[in-house]
Amino acid sequence: MKELTQVNFSAIILAAGDFPSHPLPLHLLQKAQNLVVCDGALSGLIELGIEPTAVVGDGDSLTEDLKARYSSIYHHISEQEYNDLTKATLFARSHMKMDAPTHTRPQFCYLGTTGKREDHTIGNISLMLYYYRQLGIQPTMITDYGWFVPATGTNSFTSFPGQQVSVFNSNCKMLASNGLKWDIYPFTELWQGTLNEALDTSFTIKADADYLLYRTWE
């Protein structure tokens, strides 16, 4: 968890799922410099006394009072090809200054993306790999229970003994691990890589393509 507090996120995007309650996402909301909010999440953010940098969406979830109050930073996007999370991501990617060097991926943080409708949750989780591949960003999806990150190739990850770890294969034909309780392999089903466990303070995943990693809080 400490590593996430030290990341200088280029943008934090708040979706309209279950509003965060864990101390870490709440801390990230409080300190966010570039905070883009899907319109359905605006009222919950206001209740915390936090002001967004931008509000993005089709406006269906906003009252007329909120539209008027935030008219200067409200960006109405009516097309239906993308959901509000992707609209907010594309807005942030296009309109906000990204401080990261051009050879590195901008770090985006996603909050409030799970809960409520299950189909929305599955869709939002799967979008992390899409953003990683198609938009050239490094997304981190943080929930009240842990966090998701997409990765490619061989990488080492911080952990703690007993940490619960799940690995979701995307397109790897070679997939292996060191430092997990059960060796992983090129899974063909989403459930096959779930409910693994870290043995020490780090573990390594060896892969020839992309995968999505989930780790729980300590």
Side-chain angles (χ1 to χ4, degrees), residues 182-197:
W182 294 282
D183 292 335
I184 65 174
Y185 57 93
F187 309 121
T188 57
E189 303 290 346
L190 288 177
W191 58 267
Q192 290 176 318
T194 61
L195 308 178
N196 212 324
E197 186 174 308

Side-chain angles (χ1 to χ4, degrees), residues 29-139:
L29 282 176
Q30 294 282 356
K31 74 166 192 173
Q33 297 299 311
N34 292 324
L35 177 56
V36 181
V37 180
C38 298
D39 56 17
L42 180 58
S43 59
L45 187 70
I46 294 171
E47 290 178 7
L48 283 183
I50 300 174
E51 292 295 320
T53 308
V55 181
V56 176
D58 58 16
D60 289 349
S61 302
L62 290 179
T63 65
E64 292 304 317
D65 286 344
L66 285 178
K67 287 181 183 178
R69 177 177 170 183
Y70 290 93
S71 60
S72 63
I73 60 169
Y74 171 54
H75 303 272
H76 180 265
I77 304 175
S78 59
E79 63 85 19
Q80 297 299 312
E81 175 68 17
Y82 297 117
N83 68 359
D84 282 353
L85 191 70
T86 302
K87 292 175 184 177
T89 299
L90 292 171
F91 173 85
R93 192 72 182 88
S94 300
H95 291 80
M96 292 185 173
K97 180 182 178 182
M98 300 289 115
D99 293 328
T102 55
H103 64 278
T104 62
R105 294 171 178 264
Q107 297 264 4
F108 276 38
C109 175
Y110 293 86
L111 307 175
T113 52
T114 59
K116 298 183 179 178
R117 278 180 52 175
E118 290 83 0
D119 54 343
H120 287 182
T121 293
I122 294 171
N124 287 343
I125 292 171
S126 69
L127 280 169
M128 296 302 102
L129 277 166
Y130 176 77
Y131 297 161
Y132 181 77
R133 292 169 177 160
Q134 302 299 323
L135 302 185
I137 64 176
Q138 180 62 57

Side-chain angles (χ1 to χ4, degrees), residues 141-154:
M141 176 186 282
I142 296 176
T143 76
D144 284 338
Y145 306 98
W147 74 107
F148 292 90
V149 291
T152 190
T154 297

